[in-house]
Every structure is written in structure tokens, then in C-alpha cells.
Amino acid sequence: MSFDPHNVDLDTADPTDIVCYLNSEGNEYNGQLGARISAIFVIMFISSAATFFPVVAQRVPRLRIPVYVYLFARYFGAGVIVATAFIHLLDPAYDEIGPASCVGMTGHWADYSWCPAIVLTSMMMVFLMDFGAERYVEIKYGICREDPEPIMSTGGEVRRVDSRVSGRHADDKQAKEIESQSEEVAIERSVRQQIAALLILEFGVIFHSVIIGLNLGVAGDEFATLYPVLVFHQSFEGLGIGARMSSIPFKKGSWLPWFLCTAYGLTTPISIAIGLGVRTTYNPGSYTANVVSGVLDAISAGILVYTGLVELLARDFLFDPHRTQDNKRLAFMVISMLLGAGIMALLGKWA
């Protein structure tokens, strides 16, 4: 017998039928087309400006941005990324495909807790990519962790440069050249790692931006609240991406930072426009929409959890050999990070 939502016996009804019925209602689009169209341009301008600001400030010295403004943008953004992973991605993923959702109660989705499994898989994939990239650089440039002296390759023959031997058989000029080459390799290795981490970070954030853009396009009465909240939401995330980008010493004239800033600034507005285009047919609560958005949110959560905790917090605060020893500056960095995480967590109440 089919489920009758108007005649339910709670003692005999299947909870899955009730949950799926509540989720299957169509979108709550209620007009306000002009305001929704304005959201495309407002969010595009504000989020792009927040993303470009740290990059431009770092590349245009005459702007004379105070160092503490830059530090605030960088570490506030790091806190935003961490909070986004847990509050804006992990929690919605559980709502969409977790054990208490319609998806999580039906079919093979009910056989296993797939949401944390997807998050775990995503984290492990990012780790393997990060580790693989680092190992590739070590092999390519002959860097040996056990021995700080590099292994130099000359004419196809690999030989270890031992400081004691070079001291007796190489002149000072040759020794300086070797040290200079080692430094260049170390710098290039660091830059490549930072760029890879940035690409992974933006990939995870863009997934999330697509979903919230679509939902804003078809939102109902909550649109009035969701609109300003998402302006701040996207601006803070953009600030985090831009600040991280500005800390990477790209080659002079590189187009990559400008492309990445532009891509982030356009993703949500384009998604809002798509949402408006399908406003009469798109149902964000449908089974298919929940599966797609739940899986994407879980993947993005894994990416941002790893990137936020490992690449941003651990690398900057715990493992950076050049970290400042100025307690005042360190305190400012930590407070900025906590403020970013706190404000982004608060925004999770509405979006």
C-alpha cells in the first residue's frame, strides 16, 4: 500500500516514508526575481574583490598595506576554511546522505555509513596526492631527507656530494654553486607544494560554491536572510583563498593566481544564474539532488579538513622553520584564525 501523508499511524508507519516525503517537496521559489538577479552581481563583485585584494596588495608595494592587515587576512581566512569544512560541508553532508536522511535510509545507502567513508576517502586521496607530489620532487631533484646534502646528477651519473670531500677537492667557487643549487631546489620544491595545496583547496571550495549558488536561486522565504549571509560567506572564503595565494611566490608574470581568483569569483554567480534558469523545475530536496549535493559536500569536506588542518594550520604554526618568534605577532595570528573560524561557524546558523 502506498504511503498516505494525510493519514499516518506513527505506530506502524515506516520512518523512511515519512522522512522521504518531507524531503521530496518542490522548491519554495516565491518570486523576488529582481533581488535574485542582483545577487548574481553583488556576490560576484564582493567575493571577487575579497579574493583579489590580498593578491593585489602583495604585488603592488605602493599600496603600502600594513603587515598586520595582511596577517589578519591570511589567518582569518585560514580559520574560515577550517570552519567551512566542518560547519558548512560536513554537517550538510550528513543531512543529505547521512543515516537519518531519506537517502541514508534507502537502498544500499542504508547498508553502511557512506558519508564519513566518502570524507575519509577524500582526505586519503588528498594526502596521497600531496605525498606523491613531494616524493616526485625529491626523486627528480635528488633530495635525500636522511642527508641534508643533495644528491647531484651529472651526465647521467648520480653522486652524493659529501661536504668533507668537497672541502678537500673542490674550490670555494664550486662549493658555493652547490649550496646555491640546493637552495634553489628547496625553494622550487616548496613553491610546487604550495601551489598543489592551493589548487586542491580551491577545488573543494568551488564544489561547495556551486551547491549554495543553486540553492540561493530557488530559495523561498529564507532568501531575504540567505542573501546577505552568503555575501559574507563567499567574501570570507574568497579572502582565505586570496590570502593563501598571496603567500605563494609565483613566477613573475604568472597568470595562475589571476585565473584562480577569477574562477572563484564567477562560480557562485554562475550557479545562481543556473538556479534561476531552472527555478520552476529544480528541487533541492529531491532524492537525486540530495545524493549529488551530499556526495559533493562530503568530498569537499574531506579536502578542506585536510587542507585546513595540515596545509594551513599545522604547516604555518607548527612546522614552519621560518615562523616568527615575536609573541605579539603570533598572538595576533592565532586570534585572527580563531575569529575567522568563529564568525564562519556563526554564519552556519543561517547558511
Side-chain angles (χ1 to χ4, degrees):
M1 184 174 66
S2 60
F3 176 69
D4 181 3
H6 303 291
N7 184 20
V8 179
D9 184 346
L10 294 179
D11 292 326
T12 59
D14 186 345
T16 303
D17 291 334
I18 298 174
V19 172
C20 290
Y21 171 77
L22 293 175
N23 284 354
S24 64
E25 298 178 0
N27 70 61
E28 299 176 352
Y29 176 78
N30 61 354
Q32 306 182 68
L33 184 59
R36 295 173 194 268
I37 292 176
S38 75
I40 296 175
F41 299 99
V42 170
I43 290 179
M44 179 173 63
F45 175 77
I46 299 296
S47 61
S48 295
T51 311
F52 275 102
F53 170 72
V55 179
V56 173
Q58 194 270 340
R59 283 165 171 72
V60 185
R62 65 175 177 270
L63 292 178
R64 296 180 181 177
I65 303 298
V67 65
Y68 277 92
V69 172
Y70 171 75
L71 289 175
F72 175 81
R74 177 170 177 174
Y75 293 103
F76 180 90
V80 165
I81 296 301
V82 174
T84 297
F86 290 97
I87 305 298
H88 296 267
L89 291 172
L90 188 58
D91 184 58
Y94 268 98
D95 287 342
E96 292 152 350
I97 61 173
S101 68
C102 172
V103 174
M105 291 181 174
T106 56
H108 292 296
W109 288 97
D111 296 339
Y112 186 73
S113 188
W114 288 105
C115 183
I118 294 172
V119 174
L120 176 63
T121 302
S122 176
M123 289 178 59
M124 291 297 104
M125 290 300 294
V126 176
F127 161 72
L128 290 174
M129 291 171 61
D130 195 14
F131 176 66
E134 181 164 342
R135 186 65 187 133
Y136 170 78
V137 173
E138 289 176 350
I139 294 173
K140 181 178 179 180
Y141 293 102
I143 298 172
C144 182
R145 283 181 175 268
E146 291 79 17
D147 186 349
E149 297 289 340
I151 300 174
M152 306 300 296
S153 178
T154 306
E157 179 184 2
V158 178
R159 61 185 178 86
R160 184 177 302 276
V161 179
D162 186 272
S163 58
R164 292 169 297 178
V165 175
S166 62
R168 293 194 300 265
H169 300 288
D171 57 19
D172 292 341
K173 182 178 179 181
Q174 182 180 11
K176 288 179 181 179
E177 288 178 354
I178 293 174
E179 288 170 5
S180 176
Q181 290 172 352
S182 301
E183 186 176 353
E184 290 176 2
V185 167
I187 292 173
E188 184 171 352
R189 173 189 177 193
S190 175
V191 171
R192 287 174 181 268
Q193 288 175 332
Q194 292 180 65
I195 292 176
L198 174 66
L199 292 175
I200 293 169
L201 169 64
E202 178 145 351
F203 181 70
V205 171
I206 282 180
F207 265 176
H208 176 50
S209 298
V210 169
I211 300 301
I212 62 176
L214 286 171
N215 289 341
L216 182 64
V218 299
D221 293 337
E222 72 273 19
F223 173 77
T225 302
L226 199 58
Y227 183 177
V229 168
L230 287 185
V231 170
F232 286 103
H233 180 285
Q234 293 304 102
S235 300
F236 291 157
E237 281 190 349
L239 189 64
I241 291 175
R244 183 55 43 177
M245 212 175 301
S246 69
S247 68
I248 301 175
F250 289 97
K251 292 181 179 179
K252 187 176 181 180
S254 174
W255 55 268
L256 187 58
W258 311 111
F259 171 78
L260 293 176
C261 288
T262 303
Y264 174 79
L266 292 178
T267 298
T268 301
I270 290 174
S271 299
I272 296 172
I274 294 173
L276 289 176
V278 297
R279 61 187 181 276
T280 58
T281 56
Y282 177 65
N283 179 7
S286 69
Y287 185 91
T288 301
N290 275 322
V291 170
V292 173
S293 60
V295 169
L296 290 180
D297 280 346
I299 291 172
S300 298
I303 292 173
L304 264 65
V305 166
Y306 178 89
T307 303
L309 298 181
V310 176
E311 297 290 347
L312 303 187
L313 300 191
R315 183 159 292 181
D316 279 4
F317 288 100
L318 301 179
F319 305 129
D320 183 5
H322 305 295
R323 187 195 67 196
T324 179
Q325 299 300 309
D326 184 339
N327 286 332
K328 179 183 176 182
R329 183 170 294 188
L330 281 173
F332 181 80
M333 290 159 55
V334 172
I335 292 171
S336 297
M337 182 273 295
L338 294 176
L339 184 63
I343 292 179
M344 201 63 175
L346 179 62
L347 290 180
K349 176 177 173 61
W350 300 282

